Amino acid sequence: MANEVMMQAFEWDTPSDGSFYRNLVKNAKKLKENGIDALWLPPMTKGGSDMDVGYGAYDLWDLGEFDQKGTVRTKYGTKEELHEAIDALHDAGIKCYADVVLNHKGSGDEKEKFQAIMVDQDNRNQDVSEAHDIQAWTHFTFPGRKGKYSEMQWHWYHFTGVDHDDLTDTSAIYRIVGEGKYWDKDVSNEKGNFDYLMNNDIDHKHPEVREELFKWVDWFIDETKVDGFRYDALKHISENFINDLSSHIIDEKGIDNFYLFGEFWQYSKETIEEYLKTTDYQVDLFDVPLHFHMEEASKSMGNYDMRKIFDNTIVKDFPEQAVTFVDNHDSQPGQGLESWVEDWFKEIAYALILFRKDGYPCAFAGDYYGLCGPVKKDPLEEMINNMIRVRKNYNYGEQDDYFDDPAVIGWVRRGNEEHKPLAVLISIKDNAEKQMHVGESEAGATYVDLSGKNEEVVIDDDGNGLFTVGGGKVTYWTNKETL
């Protein structure tokens, strides 16, 4: 995926008017012309309403085809419009990655009574009640689909936990009681055990569940012709289940170049390494540590040590498995994992993911088109398009880092026979300059700043340039003759 760029095609407040897929058809060619090679598309399956972003998963087999939960279409459109969008993106040369939600199901059709134990909110391994009867919306009959594609109905015993007892109108986390039933062990140990996230937590050990999900994956890939999966909520799902499912996709289904990556919202290097090993390095991960570093730097008033920006990140420690990103729908203002990278730092942040040797960068629609929800943000489309063009034309060759000042860092991509070098300089505090080596073969050449400032630097006889940058800015330079 040399120099390819992915984009998350949606944000949390993407309009709920059903126009999303139609807009993809209109914009497919333009996106490819602007350097987008793949789109991470939102969950395609039916949620609890036509306003559901897709993470309140109701029916995996309904892609906007059946009248269920008061709607035929999903938030994004109908199944027919989904097919048209994927066809248009493929025709334009853009790969499509589907967001797949396999951790939980919401908006059940009927209540059921069963035995459960209330657990401590902050330590789910600690019981705070005896087993007793509760009632919850755990029966999924899918009345609108009427058994098409799959006749399975879901019951309480297909889940491990719920968060509400309708008998007593009590909101709490309940662990469902049943033979051999308990939280999965191979999940995050936050809150004692973080198997339970929301809604009805799926029991991935149950044989009927495993059979159904494997069957659905085969159907879904054949039906949609997507090129990869973005797994949602990985730290809440059995690692062994994800490994088995990924092996099935890659080995048994035999799909060449089907790309698997996922949301593993963890910071610890040891935890990340263990996850990559357990899943046999089949699933790439979003570089959450790098995102947190960028957020911290953006809120540091210029006092972050930029020499450490890549310390303990996936892109540094496991470069082949890193999907680098600045922000996403979970980190945007107002969301549960809010950790927004401040606006002044955005261009710097995109330089850190687009102009480096390693990592598969993912731009965010909330940056590209702007945020349109309660918190508004202006679009950065022109800036990001320019930076992607720079990546495509100049982000090649060996990489020399100049990480010798807490506030001012730079690096040089040395280029190759077809591409000239690229010099990048960042300052998070004051105006600065730094001498960097672009190569003896560039002696006498004039380098120009591609960030829009159009300043010039003449490379000396030894192949060095004295590059400049404004306070809180990034500049990126290359040989003027290539423009």
Side-chain angles (χ1 to χ4, degrees):
M1 297 182 179
N3 276 8
E4 289 192 7
V5 177
M6 180 200 321
M7 179 187 283
Q8 178 181 359
F10 63 103
E11 51 116 341
W12 194 265
D13 297 301
T14 292
S16 303
D17 57 6
S19 65
F20 181 81
Y21 294 145
R22 297 194 299 271
N23 288 336
L24 287 180
V25 173
K26 296 176 187 175
N27 295 328
K29 290 182 180 178
K30 181 181 178 183
L31 285 168
K32 184 62 177 179
E33 290 169 358
N34 289 336
I36 302 300
D37 302 291
L39 284 185
W40 157 19
L41 299 174
M44 301 169 184
T45 53
K46 181 66 60 70
S49 74
D50 60 4
M51 305 283 287
D52 194 312
V53 176
Y55 298 104
Y58 166 65
D59 187 358
L60 294 177
W61 300 91
D62 184 354
L63 306 182
E65 181 178 1
F66 305 101
D67 188 357
Q68 301 190 109
K69 299 302 168 185
T71 178
V72 173
R73 70 167 175 87
T74 66
K75 173 177 179 176
Y76 308 102
T78 65
K79 181 179 180 180
E80 182 180 358
E81 290 168 336
L82 169 64
H83 281 306
E84 291 170 353
I86 291 175
D87 287 346
L89 291 166
H90 281 163
D91 288 346
I94 296 176
K95 288 174 281 195
C96 301
Y97 303 143
D99 200 320
V100 175
V101 184
L102 301 177
N103 177 72
H104 51 267
K105 295 180 78 66
S107 303
D109 299 303
E110 297 177 6
K111 297 178 185 179
E112 294 180 310
K113 187 182 293 185
F114 50 90
Q115 291 257 301
I117 294 172
M118 186 189 295
V119 300
D120 189 306
Q121 166 71 33
D122 297 315
N123 181 4
R124 279 79 179 280
N125 290 321
Q126 182 68 46
D127 296 346
V128 295
S129 80
E130 300 294 328
H132 62 286
D133 284 345
I134 72 168
Q135 191 175 60
W137 293 87
T138 52
H139 189 191
F140 290 74
T141 63
F142 313 115
R145 183 158 55 80
K146 296 181 173 62
K148 186 176 181 180
Y149 305 127
S150 170
E151 294 183 354
M152 177 178 171
Q153 294 189 4
W154 291 64
H155 294 276
W156 64 267
Y157 47 82
H158 295 126
F159 304 105
T160 57
V162 296
D163 61 4
H164 193 267
D165 172 21
D166 273 34
L167 287 179
T168 60
D169 193 23
T170 302
S171 292
I173 296 177
Y174 294 92
R175 177 171 53 81
I176 296 174
V177 175
E179 184 177 353
K181 188 180 288 292
Y182 198 79
W183 305 127
D184 280 325
K185 300 292 188 182
D186 51 343
V187 294
S188 169
N189 59 12
E190 295 172 59
K191 299 182 183 295
N193 179 297
F194 220 170
D195 186 358
Y196 186 86
L197 173 63
M198 61 187 289
N199 298 140
N200 301 301
D201 188 74
I202 292 175
D203 184 355
H204 294 97
K205 298 186 297 295
H206 196 289
E208 292 178 1
V209 170
R210 287 178 62 92
E211 181 181 356
E212 178 77 350
L213 293 182
F214 275 64
K215 175 184 173 184
W216 174 79
V217 160
D218 289 348
W219 170 84
F220 181 80
I221 293 172
D222 291 341
E223 180 72 24
T224 63
K225 305 297 189 296
V226 294
D227 306 284
F229 281 175
R230 179 264 188 191
Y231 288 127
D232 180 57
L234 281 178
K235 74 178 182 180
H236 307 281
I237 301 176
S238 162
E239 296 173 7
N240 287 317
F241 173 80
I242 290 295
N243 188 49
D244 290 347
L245 186 65
S246 300
S247 297
H248 171 79
I249 293 168
I250 295 169
D251 299 330
E252 295 181 37
K253 196 153 178 62
I255 303 175
D256 293 332
N257 301 318
F258 195 83
Y259 185 54
L260 298 172
F261 63 112
E263 175 209 19
F264 191 60
W265 205 259
Q266 296 280 26
Y267 185 82
S268 161
K269 175 182 176 181
E270 292 74 23
T271 303
I272 292 167
E273 182 172 22
E274 180 61 30
Y275 191 88
L276 291 170
K277 285 181 179 178
T278 302
T279 53
D280 290 336
Y281 299 91
Q282 296 180 109
V283 182
D284 291 354
L285 300 177
F286 284 103
D287 200 337
V288 172
L290 178 59
H291 161 72
F292 282 140
H293 290 182
M294 291 190 290
E295 182 209 7
E296 184 180 352
S298 76
K299 295 175 179 175
S300 71
M301 305 295 290
N303 294 315
Y304 185 86
D305 189 344
M306 291 294 289
R307 296 171 298 182
K308 299 179 179 180
I309 193 79
F310 291 109
D311 287 0
N312 297 313
T313 61
I314 300 177
V315 74
K316 179 179 180 180
D317 297 328
F318 313 100
E320 297 300 316
Q321 272 68 53
V323 179
T324 51
F325 72 106
V326 178
D327 274 303
N328 66 21
H329 65 289
D330 284 322
S331 71
Q332 71 182 75
Q335 297 312 307
L337 299 174
E338 179 178 343
S339 45
W340 187 251
V341 175
E342 297 293 325
D343 298 346
W344 72 271
F345 197 83
K346 286 290 184 177
E347 188 175 10
I348 294 173
Y350 274 95
L352 291 169
I353 71 171
L354 289 172
F355 299 156
R356 301 287 292 175
K357 182 179 180 180
D358 296 314
Y360 185 4
C362 180
F364 176 42
D367 289 328
Y368 195 79
Y369 297 117
L371 296 179
C372 59
V375 178
K376 304 287 193 296
K377 294 292 181 181
D378 292 333
L380 303 176
E381 181 175 357
E382 184 176 347
M383 181 196 83
I384 294 173
N385 284 342
N386 179 53
M387 297 182 83
I388 292 174
R389 282 193 294 271
V390 172
R391 174 180 174 83
K392 300 282 185 175
N393 290 326
Y394 304 107
N395 193 53
Y396 298 89
E398 293 304 309
Q399 180 173 284
D400 299 327
D401 286 338
Y402 294 80
F403 284 29
D404 51 3
D405 184 291
V408 185
I409 63 168
W411 65 89
V412 174
R413 294 301 307 274
R414 296 290 294 276
N416 54 30
E417 292 181 2
E418 293 84 28
H419 303 92
K420 289 292 187 180
L422 174 69
V424 183
L425 189 60
I426 293 168
S427 173
I428 64 167
K429 189 172 285 188
D430 303 319
N431 295 345
E433 60 183 19
K434 189 182 292 289
Q435 179 174 288
M436 296 189 290
H437 184 75
V438 296
E440 292 84 351
S441 61
E442 296 296 290
T446 297
Y447 268 50
V448 63
D449 174 20
L450 302 178
S451 69
K453 302 167 189 68
N454 296 316
E455 297 177 7
E456 296 182 354
V457 168
V458 177
I459 307 303
D460 68 20
D461 292 342
D462 296 321
N464 299 314
L466 187 62
F467 299 98
T468 59
V469 65
K473 303 292 183 182
V474 55
T475 51
Y476 22 107
W477 309 72
T478 195
N479 193 312
K480 188 176 182 179
E481 293 179 358
T482 65
L483 302 183

